[in-house]
Amino acid sequence: MPLVRIDLVEGKSEQYRGQVGDIVYQTLVDVLSVPEHDRFQVITEHTKASQPFDRDYLGIHRSDACIFFQITLNNGRSTELKQRFYKTLADRLHEGVKISKEDVFINFVEVPKENWSFGNGEAQYVTPPK
């Protein structure tokens, strides 16, 4: 159910990108109870010039290693659960790929269940009309 877009400045290895994807997926499963095998990710590298961001917004210093995570998922999770996800993901990325916690930028986009089609031109989360 979540669609995860991961955007980072070019130059990281395939192994690094894969490990970042693995960490995000496992955190979604562990914290947000996303079902096993529900892994849909787009990992995109950008030139430094094509991924501009404020280096000190809200007093948080970001480096060239900053990664943007935009996660589209069904609505309905509590603020507390989202906050736990943010912290857990930043901690795991810091431990796993040695990225600074300040360089983990996360955005949730919540949508109703009828906004998904996983194939076949069908809305799998919607009960068909009678």
Side-chain angles (χ1 to χ4, degrees):
M1 154 245 342
L3 172 61
V4 180
R5 298 192 63 88
I6 302 169
D7 294 278
L8 63 160
V9 173
E10 64 188 356
K12 297 295 184 184
S13 69
E14 185 175 332
Q15 178 184 2
Y16 178 91
R17 294 187 310 271
Q19 194 171 359
V20 167
D22 291 345
I23 291 169
V24 174
Y25 169 70
Q26 195 57 55
T27 305
L28 286 164
V29 170
D30 294 346
V31 177
L32 299 184
S33 300
V34 167
E36 292 285 337
H37 308 293
D38 191 354
R39 182 174 179 167
F40 299 91
Q41 299 178 341
V42 178
I43 301 175
T44 307
E45 289 186 296
H46 303 272
T47 64
K48 187 175 172 182
S50 67
Q51 185 167 306
F53 55 88
D54 190 290
R55 299 220 174 237
D56 293 299
Y57 184 68
L58 296 178
I60 302 166
H61 179 70
R62 292 165 199 84
S63 73
D64 288 343
C66 187
I67 303 177
F68 299 159
F69 297 90
Q70 185 172 57
I71 303 169
T72 303
L73 70 169
N74 291 335
N75 56 18
R77 289 178 174 81
S78 70
T79 299
E80 293 78 16
L81 195 58
K82 292 173 192 175
Q83 289 173 315
R84 194 167 104 214
F85 177 85
Y86 301 149
K87 178 168 181 6
T88 303
L89 181 57
D91 288 347
R92 287 180 177 182
L93 288 166
H94 179 70
E95 293 168 14
V97 296
K98 308 303 181 215
I99 188 172
S100 168
K101 294 178 188 181
E102 290 85 357
D103 285 326
V104 179
F105 185 102
I106 306 165
N107 169 242
F108 279 132
V109 178
E110 293 185 297
V111 299
K113 286 186 174 187
E114 66 267 16
N115 287 8
W116 296 99
S117 174
F118 292 93
N120 296 325
E122 300 172 5
Q124 285 81 6
Y125 289 153
V126 176
T127 305
K130 296 179 183 188

